[in-house]
Amino acid sequence: MSGAADREAVFPTRQSLGIMKAKLKGAETGHSLLKRKSEALTKRFREITRRIDEAKRKMGRVMQIASLSLAEVTYAVGGNIGYQIQESAKSARFRIRAKQENVSGVLLPAFESYQTEGNNDFAMTGLGKGGQQVQRCRETYARAVEALVELASLQTAFVILDEVIKVVNRRVNAIEHVIIPRTENTIKYINSELDELDREEFYRLKKVANKKQRDTAEEDAQMKAKKEQQQKELSALAEGNEENEAPKAAPEDDGPADILAAEEDEDVIF
Amino acid sequence: MEGLLFNVNNGYIEGIVRGYRNGLLTGTNYTNMTQCESIDDLKLQLGPAYGDFLASLPPNPSTSSLAAKATDKLVSEFRYVRANAVGSLATFMDYVTYGYMIDNVALLITGTLHERDTRELLERCHPLGLFETMPVLCVATNIEELYNSVLIETPLAPYFKGSLSHQDLDELNIEIVRNTLYKNYLEDFYNFVNTHPDMVGTPTAEVMSEILEFEADRRAINITLNSFGTELSKADRKKLYPSFGQLYPEGTLMLSRADDFEGVRLAVEGVADYKNFFEAAGLGGGPGGPGNMAGGSGGAEGRSLEDMFYQKEMEISKGAFTRQFTYAIVYAWVKLREQEIRNITWIAECIAQNQKERINNYISVF
């Protein structure tokens, strides 16, 4: 039976029927809630995908400008100032704050960038020549990093949302295609078993009733026969004493009849 | 008069350098280079001029390795010339290298201040500014030791002495140290070409004075422009101006008092060349961004002040070759070659980044 594999292992009782019905109801509520959550997340996911696309394009442009401005610095300063810049940078000018955003119960990290004012560690780099380019390049790269930070927070949200959407969808599908059918099957099974039991019970009762009727009828018949016998005996007693042998034989006949009745009784009990 | 005995010692060098000058890339070369689609094409275009040096580069090299190879060529040629130079020309050529040496020493000071392993820094130093005793400077672990080693081991000692103490190295911004040294160096070089018996009254003194004066003015103007908005005070700024040049003394005094671009413009009013530069830059870049290459956004047409200074420097250097019997051609040749390397790097960068619209920003004088 294929249905047997697809139902829960429960005893078909009224109690478990009640439990199963409650479970089915819970599963349906959960299903609709999860479905709505999944839809909300998917909506958000699409929006993020669109924004990632924009951010990536923006990043491409900004990075291009930034690397060109670095080329300008190389051109103007006429040498490699990388080491000097690295060494004179003491504290971060460009900083990031992390926030959390709640989308239908999913916590998405969002990065917010800000620049600390008055932090100008290498303001004098290229004092002799190319200083303007260095500053300009720094500004351009600050913009580029800003774009990167934005992209990073979007990408993180993208990955997390993707994961969560997958989980939620898996749950929705599991409830829809496994739990609900199975519970329904179980309910159906319990119902059918209970019906079966009912029918059996009914049949048995009928059988017992029949038996009892038959027994009663037999008993009645025996009682009747006995009565007739007694009446006969009484009439015989009344007739004469020489026929004393006859009533002696009659109880011998009664014995086997009684044993049969007892046997019949035992059978009824069975 | 100077022509009479010049060739006895220096004729060969002059010939060699003039030959090198003819090897410089011309406008046609640059036009061809700007048409290139890839770095490999560019490499091919550079073949005739740089063949041997670029041969070892892998296909599609990075711009920095291209620039490094081009610099290698300059360095090897310079070393050849230096090896053949005698007498006052040799000293002159040493003077040319001091500028690079200052940069290298500044690099080492930065490394020592931040307690880095300075040995790694030796590779980053400009090869022209290397000197034999340079590794000795790496032994120094604190700034006082370094200061003493610099005084003993390097030719830069006179530039440190008197204007910088070892405490200064610790406290002052490295840029101020560098510019102080550079100022002293320029003054010393200027003094050298104008007082050395071999050069006094010769075309060398004339041409080199022009070049160095221009260099001094350029530095003064640049320092002023770049110091706006930094913690460099006006008094400190004044100390960084070389005490010669066309702007000296009135111009530099006004520069030291300038608060903004307009102030600088007024200060240089007296010199026709600079006045023109500022007018052109003022129109192109606006008051906000006087000395820039427009940072990638807009203003691609307008030439920046920096560009015009470079252009002017190249023209002076080109002019130096019209004179004979002068050491100045060596200096001019080095500067021209440096500009050429910058041009190549710029063009390569533009090709690599596929930003062809600004590719013509190079400076070509031939």
Side-chain angles (χ1 to χ4, degrees), chain B residues 285-297:
Chain B
N292 58 65
M293 303 211 329
S297 54

Side-chain angles (χ1 to χ4, degrees), chain B residues 212-225:
Chain B
L212 290 174
E213 275 169 12
F214 170 76
E215 180 71 26
D217 292 343
R218 178 167 80 161
R219 285 196 85 82
I221 293 171
N222 268 334
I223 288 171
T224 316
L225 284 177

Side-chain angles (χ1 to χ4, degrees), chain B residues 122-274:
Chain B
L122 285 181
E123 291 161 24
R124 294 165 178 268
C125 289
H126 196 287
L128 275 188
L130 287 176
F131 42 93
E132 276 175 31
T133 51
M134 196 142 167
V136 178
L137 295 187
C138 296
V139 176
T141 49
N142 61 37
I143 205 72
E144 196 176 339
E145 276 178 38
L146 181 76
Y147 181 75
N148 287 333
S149 327
V150 169
L151 279 187
I152 299 164
E153 305 287 348
T154 73
L156 303 180
Y159 309 145
F160 274 91
K161 221 171 79 190
S163 55
L164 290 167
S165 69
H166 67 84
Q167 280 101 347
D168 287 343
L169 292 189
D170 239 341
E171 288 155 13
L172 288 176
N173 190 305
I174 186 65
E175 276 301 312
I176 300 179
V177 173
R178 185 204 302 270
N179 284 292
T180 312
L181 291 178
Y182 215 90
K183 169 204 168 222
N184 291 340
Y185 157 67
L186 282 180
E187 283 170 3
D188 188 37
F189 200 176
Y190 188 72
N191 190 36
F192 171 71
V193 293
N194 280 304
T195 53
H196 195 275
D198 278 357
M199 280 176 269
V200 119
T202 65
T204 307
E206 248 173 77
V207 178
M208 279 315 291
S209 295
E210 190 191 355
I211 294 178
L212 290 174
E213 275 169 12
F214 170 76
E215 180 71 26
D217 292 343
R218 178 167 80 161
R219 285 196 85 82
I221 293 171
N222 268 334
I223 288 171
T224 316
L225 284 177
N226 291 334
S227 69
F228 295 151
T230 65
E231 67 251 35
L232 187 66
S233 70
K234 285 183 184 173
D236 287 339
R237 200 166 77 196
K238 194 160 184 283
K239 284 186 205 154
L240 302 179
Y241 299 146
S243 59
F244 64 97
Q246 295 181 54
L247 290 173
Y248 186 80
E250 297 87 0
T252 41
L253 188 69
M254 283 172 80
L255 274 181
S256 70
R257 291 179 182 160
D259 282 317
D260 50 14
F261 182 59
E262 198 55 30
V264 180
R265 202 181 57 77
L266 281 174
V268 301
E269 201 90 287
V271 184
D273 274 341
Y274 306 147

Side-chain angles (χ1 to χ4, degrees), chain A residues 64 72 75-76 84 87, chain B residues 116 175 310 342 355 358:
Chain A
Q64 201 171 26
E72 272 172 17
Y75 182 83
Q84 205 194 333
E87 290 302 331
Chain B
R116 296 299 149 92
E175 276 301 312
Y310 272 135
R342 271 202 299 272
Q355 299 245 332
R358 308 264 307 276

